[in-house]
Amino acid sequence: MERLLRGHPVRTVTVDGVPAEFVTDPALVRRVLVKDAKHYGKSELFQKARILSRAGLLAQDDAQHRHYRRLAHPYLRTGAVAGHAPVMEEIARDTAASWRPGQPVDIQAEMCRAAGGIALSTLFGALPRETSRVLAERLAALSWEMIRKPLYGKAARSPRPSQRLERAFTGFRSVLASCVAGQLNSPDGTTGYLSALLTDAGRTGAAALSAEQVCDEAVMMLTAATVTTASVMSWALYVLAQDPLVEEKVLKDLAQPGDGGAVAGGRSGHGQGPPGYALRFLMEVLRLYPPVWITCRKTLSGVTLGAHEFPAGTHVIFSSYLLHRDPGRYPDPHRFDPDRWLSVRPNAQDASYIPFGAGARGCIGEVFAWRELEILLGAVAREWELTVPPGSRARAAPHTTLHPQRLLMVPQPR
């Protein structure tokens, strides 16, 4: 992408034989996401084999999308996230405690397990212990298959998902559907976002979503929360293993006393004063390895982007991976340098740093994610020193998320 697109604010490309306009100018990307967002809808160009919900937060209709954002917001706002922290910490510690010295660990699978457990426990309330265990196990399996799902090419064009993905989806959804049915029969015991979905009434007073749609929305919410966190944490732990000096600084910052640690409130660099080192480290991980690395919208009417005019129905692509590596914004853009964030701050006037998207359809769980990443990073880094086997290195795989192709790491106690 850098070789073909750098220097072209807008350039025509093809994806699976479909023409699209690739936008690399961060100011124009912000127009797409924020200023002129009403003229753009979701595109299926990179989601041909999607099997998750099309209702709720993924709804095409903006009004419906806003409604479900309002339903989810009470469980993801800053105050609620602070209340979730003890559960996050417990799950993170349990994950790290399950490892054994010298025994290689599949980091991505483990991060899927931890992030899935956190999503289930914090967003969907208390469940019977065995049900929670089975759901967490199957959510981790589904999330790993979703992470590896291709965005383009023959496999993505298939009208059916891969057999592994379909089995993982069915296995998780069947257990979750039983939980939803049980909650419908005893609504007083329901908590969290699931409760909001089940008790939400439409204009006629009946349930806004059917039980099937509630289940689909729950699968989408849980999977999205898991795959993105797992990908970011996999890169974060790999980067720590590659640079002992960065690791030392992260550990020192995490050890500092304070309420909420380096990423208190999920400021993501927008608070007063310079961000602490652990936050700068995570910001740099998200700069170089944004999990949602490429996105596509479709014009709903004629639009103007810079010097170009495009009719309704035009696919418009942009890539956070490319935006985050712009040498005009980030000197020596491929170098991992957390201290660049002492002088460079996210610019609200463009889309030069959008690891969580921007605008009305930006990630509703951003505050949740920052706190979760800090807690997972601290729980693992304090307990273990991780190394990669000699001669191995992580290669980036641009699938549903930008994840390491394969990442085995060897833990040793600190």
Side-chain angles (χ1 to χ4, degrees):
M1 288 197 302
E2 291 183 272
R3 185 178 68 254
L4 295 174
L5 299 169
R6 185 73 70 208
H8 299 274
V10 182
R11 186 167 189 176
T12 303
V13 298
T14 59
V15 178
D16 290 337
V18 178
E21 303 303 325
F22 207 121
V23 182
T24 64
D25 183 330
L28 295 183
V29 172
R30 184 165 180 81
R31 288 185 68 92
V32 173
L33 293 176
V34 181
K35 186 176 180 180
D36 297 335
K38 65 182 180 181
H39 299 302
Y40 295 85
K42 296 185 74 65
S43 167
E44 293 294 310
L45 194 57
F46 290 133
Q47 303 181 64
K48 298 182 183 69
R50 189 173 70 189
I51 61 172
L52 301 182
S53 170
R54 294 173 185 266
L57 284 168
L58 286 186
Q60 178 84 299
D61 180 72
D62 282 341
Q64 188 180 4
H65 172 81
R66 287 194 299 271
H67 174 72
Y68 287 99
R69 285 184 77 95
R70 287 193 293 269
L71 282 185
H73 180 259
Y75 310 100
L76 295 166
R77 68 182 190 275
T78 301
V81 170
H84 296 325
V87 174
M88 293 181 181
E89 290 166 354
E90 180 183 359
I91 293 172
R93 286 195 302 266
D94 288 347
T95 300
S98 69
W99 302 348
R100 296 294 176 263
Q103 295 185 5
V105 173
D106 185 331
I107 287 296
Q108 292 180 95
E110 290 297 292
M111 291 302 101
C112 280
R113 184 162 66 92
I118 287 172
L120 280 164
S121 298
T122 57
L123 297 179
F124 287 81
L127 294 168
R129 180 179 294 272
E130 180 60 17
T131 301
S132 182
R133 184 193 67 78
V134 173
L135 276 173
E137 179 182 290
R138 295 190 181 187
L139 175 57
L142 171 59
S143 297
W144 177 228
E145 292 301 329
M146 283 299 298
I147 284 173
R148 300 192 301 173
K149 185 171 79 69
L151 290 180
Y152 52 86
K154 183 178 178 180
R157 292 195 300 271
S158 172
R160 294 181 60 83
S162 71
Q163 291 184 353
R164 287 197 309 268
L165 176 57
E166 190 166 29
R167 283 197 300 269
F169 174 75
T170 302
F172 176 63
R173 195 185 185 287
S174 62
V175 178
L176 191 61
S178 297
C179 293
V180 169
Q183 299 289 9
L184 284 170
N185 293 329
S186 56
D188 292 340
T190 310
T191 59
Y193 184 49
L194 180 59
S195 172
L197 290 172
L198 290 171
T199 57
D200 180 40
R203 294 178 181 176
T204 64
L209 295 180
S210 67
E212 289 285 305
Q213 289 174 316
V214 167
C215 192
D216 287 343
E217 177 72 356
V219 173
M220 182 281 299
M221 190 75 158
L222 292 166
T223 307
T226 302
V227 299
T228 51
T229 299
S231 294
V232 176
M233 277 305 305
S234 297
W235 284 117
L237 296 174
Y238 176 73
V239 169
L240 279 187
Q242 299 302 299
D243 194 327
L245 181 59
V246 167
E247 183 180 47
E248 179 183 345
K249 291 179 178 179
V250 166
L251 287 170
K252 182 178 180 180
D253 192 50
L254 289 172
Q256 297 296 317
D259 181 17
V263 197
R267 291 194 308 269
S268 66
H270 295 285
Q272 298 299 316
Y277 192 84
L279 175 53
R280 300 201 302 273
F281 168 80
L282 289 171
M283 290 173 71
E284 188 71 345
V285 171
L286 279 160
R287 182 184 73 84
L288 286 172
Y289 308 109
V292 183
W293 63 280
I294 195 165
T295 307
C296 191
R297 296 283 190 266
K298 182 186 287 187
T299 58
L300 302 176
S301 60
V303 301
T304 300
L305 276 176
H308 305 270
E309 294 186 0
F310 301 113
T314 301
H315 296 284
V316 176
I317 301 173
F318 56 92
S319 169
S320 55
Y321 178 94
L322 198 61
L323 292 164
H324 293 182
R325 292 169 184 251
D326 180 0
R329 177 69 177 172
Y330 303 102
D332 196 2
H334 297 283
R335 181 166 62 94
F336 188 90
D337 179 18
D339 286 338
R340 75 171 70 245
W341 296 105
L342 291 173
S343 56
V344 176
R345 305 301 295 275
N347 188 348
Q349 303 308 310
D350 63 31
S352 58
Y353 186 71
I354 51 169
F356 295 94
R361 286 185 178 265
C363 177
I364 191 175
E366 179 175 357
V367 172
F368 185 99
W370 282 114
R371 193 60 179 271
E372 180 183 21
L373 289 170
E374 179 206 12
I375 287 172
L376 284 168
L377 178 66
V380 174
R382 292 188 190 102
E383 185 78 14
W384 300 105
E385 179 181 3
L386 294 170
T387 59
V388 294
S392 64
R393 68 184 183 94
R395 301 179 66 89
H399 295 148
T400 298
T401 65
L402 183 69
H403 67 100
Q405 184 74 42
R406 177 170 172 77
L407 186 55
L408 292 179
M409 303 189 77
V410 180
Q412 296 294 348
R414 290 206 180 271

